[in-house]
Amino acid sequence: MIDARDVNQTTDPAESGFTLLEILVTMVVMSLVMVAALTMLVGMVRNEDRQSANANVATISRETTELLARDLRQSNPLLAPSTDLNKSREAVIQIDDGAGFSELVRYRIDTLTTALVREVLDPATSAVVSTQTLVASTANDAD
């Protein structure tokens, strides 16, 4: 009597398993799939970095604009600009809080670093009390 398990088994050892060519073709195809997946992943990470940097710039710009707008709304008048060419990149405003306290605030572009700087000045001596760098680098095509 013939057993059903014996019918499906082959007796030739050359026909069992995969050939070397089949394994090589499979490895090449899988390598191509992995390279494509890795390329997509690297592209996604770069895109995320770019979007994060853009969001950071937008946040800094918004915060700087809000601070400058608040200072200008509270200012009691914009002080006369200097005629000195070395001070042509600055503006000084006097801010009154409504309770009799006022402070002088100078916005200027640093000539060495091109940073936008906000400085609080002592009203009596015009000495710098505090400094805050608002934008690390500014660009002006006219320069």
Side-chain angles (χ1 to χ4, degrees), residues 3 7 9 11 15 18 30-31 42 47 63 81 84-85 88 90-91 95 106 120-121 137:
D3 190 356
V7 173
Q9 292 179 354
T11 57
E15 292 185 17
F18 298 106
M30 290 303 295
S31 296
V42 168
N47 189 33
E63 290 172 353
D84 184 0
L85 290 178
S88 64
E90 67 180 44
I95 299 174
R106 174 173 53 202
V120 177
L121 307 174
S137 179

Short mmCIF file of all heavy atoms in Angstrom, two decimals, residues 3 7 9 11 15 18 30-31 42 47 63 81 84-85 88 90-91 95 106 120-121 137:
data_model
loop_
_atom_site.label_atom_id
_atom_site.label_comp_id
_atom_site.label_asym_id
_atom_site.label_seq_id
_atom_site.Cartn_x
_atom_site.Cartn_y
_atom_site.Cartn_z
N ASP A 3 1.71 5.04 0.86
CA ASP A 3 1.39 6.07 1.86
C ASP A 3 1.32 7.43 1.15
O ASP A 3 2.15 7.74 0.30
CB ASP A 3 2.48 6.08 2.93
CG ASP A 3 2.11 6.94 4.12
OD1 ASP A 3 1.04 7.58 4.09
OD2 ASP A 3 2.91 6.99 5.08
N VAL A 7 4.22 10.09 -1.53
CA VAL A 7 3.99 10.51 -2.91
C VAL A 7 4.53 11.94 -3.11
O VAL A 7 5.10 12.25 -4.14
CB VAL A 7 2.48 10.46 -3.23
CG1 VAL A 7 2.21 11.07 -4.60
CG2 VAL A 7 2.00 9.05 -3.17
N GLN A 9 6.97 13.49 -1.49
CA GLN A 9 8.40 13.64 -1.23
C GLN A 9 9.18 13.23 -2.47
O GLN A 9 8.85 12.29 -3.15
CB GLN A 9 8.82 12.77 -0.06
CG GLN A 9 8.23 13.25 1.25
CD GLN A 9 8.65 12.35 2.40
OE1 GLN A 9 9.27 11.33 2.20
NE2 GLN A 9 8.29 12.77 3.61
N THR A 11 12.78 12.11 -4.18
CA THR A 11 13.95 11.33 -3.79
C THR A 11 15.23 11.94 -4.34
O THR A 11 16.32 11.59 -3.90
CB THR A 11 13.83 9.89 -4.31
OG1 THR A 11 13.65 9.92 -5.71
CG2 THR A 11 12.68 9.18 -3.63
N GLU A 15 16.64 18.51 -6.28
CA GLU A 15 15.40 19.26 -6.41
C GLU A 15 14.89 19.79 -5.07
O GLU A 15 13.87 20.46 -5.01
CB GLU A 15 14.33 18.38 -7.06
CG GLU A 15 14.64 18.06 -8.50
CD GLU A 15 13.52 17.30 -9.16
OE1 GLU A 15 12.41 17.30 -8.62
OE2 GLU A 15 13.78 16.70 -10.21
N PHE A 18 16.36 25.77 -2.41
CA PHE A 18 16.47 26.82 -3.42
C PHE A 18 17.83 26.73 -4.09
O PHE A 18 18.83 26.37 -3.48
CB PHE A 18 16.32 28.20 -2.77
CG PHE A 18 14.99 28.42 -2.13
CD1 PHE A 18 14.86 28.39 -0.75
CD2 PHE A 18 13.86 28.65 -2.91
CE1 PHE A 18 13.63 28.60 -0.16
CE2 PHE A 18 12.63 28.85 -2.32
CZ PHE A 18 12.51 28.83 -0.95
N MET A 30 15.62 42.34 -2.65
CA MET A 30 15.44 42.85 -1.29
C MET A 30 16.39 44.02 -1.01
O MET A 30 16.01 44.98 -0.32
CB MET A 30 15.66 41.73 -0.26
CG MET A 30 14.56 40.69 -0.26
SD MET A 30 12.93 41.40 0.03
CE MET A 30 13.10 42.01 1.67
N SER A 31 17.59 43.96 -1.55
CA SER A 31 18.53 45.08 -1.38
C SER A 31 17.99 46.35 -2.04
O SER A 31 18.07 47.44 -1.47
CB SER A 31 19.90 44.74 -1.97
OG SER A 31 20.47 43.67 -1.28
N VAL A 42 15.52 58.86 4.84
CA VAL A 42 16.46 59.97 4.93
C VAL A 42 15.80 61.26 4.42
O VAL A 42 15.94 62.33 5.02
CB VAL A 42 17.75 59.66 4.14
CG1 VAL A 42 18.61 60.89 3.96
CG2 VAL A 42 18.54 58.56 4.84
N ASN A 47 13.40 66.58 5.58
CA ASN A 47 12.23 67.44 5.46
C ASN A 47 11.76 67.88 6.85
O ASN A 47 11.40 69.05 7.05
CB ASN A 47 11.11 66.72 4.71
CG ASN A 47 9.97 67.62 4.38
OD1 ASN A 47 10.16 68.80 4.13
ND2 ASN A 47 8.77 67.07 4.38
N GLU A 63 7.85 86.60 17.82
CA GLU A 63 8.14 87.13 19.15
C GLU A 63 8.84 88.49 19.06
O GLU A 63 8.54 89.40 19.83
CB GLU A 63 9.01 86.15 19.93
CG GLU A 63 8.27 84.89 20.33
CD GLU A 63 9.18 83.83 20.93
OE1 GLU A 63 10.43 84.01 20.90
OE2 GLU A 63 8.66 82.81 21.42
N PRO A 81 16.34 110.72 15.86
CA PRO A 81 17.45 109.85 15.47
C PRO A 81 18.76 110.63 15.45
O PRO A 81 18.78 111.83 15.24
CB PRO A 81 17.06 109.38 14.07
CG PRO A 81 16.08 110.38 13.58
CD PRO A 81 15.40 110.96 14.78
N ASP A 84 24.75 110.96 13.67
CA ASP A 84 26.05 110.29 13.61
C ASP A 84 25.91 109.04 12.74
O ASP A 84 25.05 108.20 12.96
CB ASP A 84 26.47 109.91 15.04
CG ASP A 84 27.85 109.28 15.09
OD1 ASP A 84 28.49 109.15 14.03
OD2 ASP A 84 28.29 108.92 16.20
N LEU A 85 26.75 108.89 11.72
CA LEU A 85 26.67 107.75 10.82
C LEU A 85 26.94 106.44 11.53
O LEU A 85 26.46 105.39 11.10
CB LEU A 85 27.63 107.92 9.65
CG LEU A 85 27.27 109.01 8.65
CD1 LEU A 85 28.35 109.10 7.56
CD2 LEU A 85 25.92 108.77 8.04
N SER A 88 23.59 105.08 12.77
CA SER A 88 22.50 105.11 11.80
C SER A 88 21.64 103.86 11.82
O SER A 88 20.57 103.85 11.25
CB SER A 88 23.05 105.32 10.39
OG SER A 88 23.85 104.22 10.01
N GLU A 90 20.26 102.42 14.53
CA GLU A 90 19.63 102.27 15.83
C GLU A 90 18.47 103.24 15.97
O GLU A 90 18.39 104.26 15.28
CB GLU A 90 20.62 102.48 16.97
CG GLU A 90 21.17 103.87 17.10
CD GLU A 90 22.15 103.99 18.25
OE1 GLU A 90 23.01 103.10 18.40
OE2 GLU A 90 22.05 104.98 18.98
N ALA A 91 17.55 102.87 16.86
CA ALA A 91 16.40 103.73 17.19
C ALA A 91 16.21 103.65 18.69
O ALA A 91 16.28 102.57 19.29
CB ALA A 91 15.15 103.25 16.47
N ILE A 95 9.72 104.59 26.85
CA ILE A 95 8.50 103.85 27.17
C ILE A 95 8.00 104.30 28.54
O ILE A 95 8.74 104.25 29.52
CB ILE A 95 8.77 102.33 27.17
CG1 ILE A 95 9.25 101.89 25.80
CG2 ILE A 95 7.55 101.56 27.58
CD1 ILE A 95 9.67 100.45 25.72
N ARG A 106 16.71 101.00 23.34
CA ARG A 106 17.40 101.21 22.07
C ARG A 106 17.38 99.90 21.29
O ARG A 106 17.76 98.85 21.80
CB ARG A 106 18.84 101.65 22.31
CG ARG A 106 19.64 101.76 21.01
CD ARG A 106 21.02 102.36 21.18
NE ARG A 106 21.78 101.69 22.21
CZ ARG A 106 22.82 102.25 22.85
NH1 ARG A 106 23.19 103.48 22.56
NH2 ARG A 106 23.47 101.59 23.78
N VAL A 120 18.05 98.05 27.13
CA VAL A 120 17.36 98.95 28.05
C VAL A 120 18.43 99.86 28.63
O VAL A 120 19.46 99.40 29.14
CB VAL A 120 16.64 98.16 29.16
CG1 VAL A 120 15.99 99.11 30.16
CG2 VAL A 120 15.59 97.23 28.56
N LEU A 121 18.18 101.18 28.54
CA LEU A 121 19.15 102.17 28.99
C LEU A 121 18.69 102.83 30.27
O LEU A 121 17.50 102.99 30.51
CB LEU A 121 19.34 103.24 27.90
CG LEU A 121 19.67 102.74 26.50
CD1 LEU A 121 19.68 103.91 25.53
CD2 LEU A 121 21.00 102.02 26.49
N SER A 137 21.11 87.15 13.39
CA SER A 137 21.75 87.70 12.19
C SER A 137 20.68 88.29 11.30
O SER A 137 19.64 87.68 11.09
CB SER A 137 22.50 86.61 11.45
OG SER A 137 23.09 87.13 10.29
#
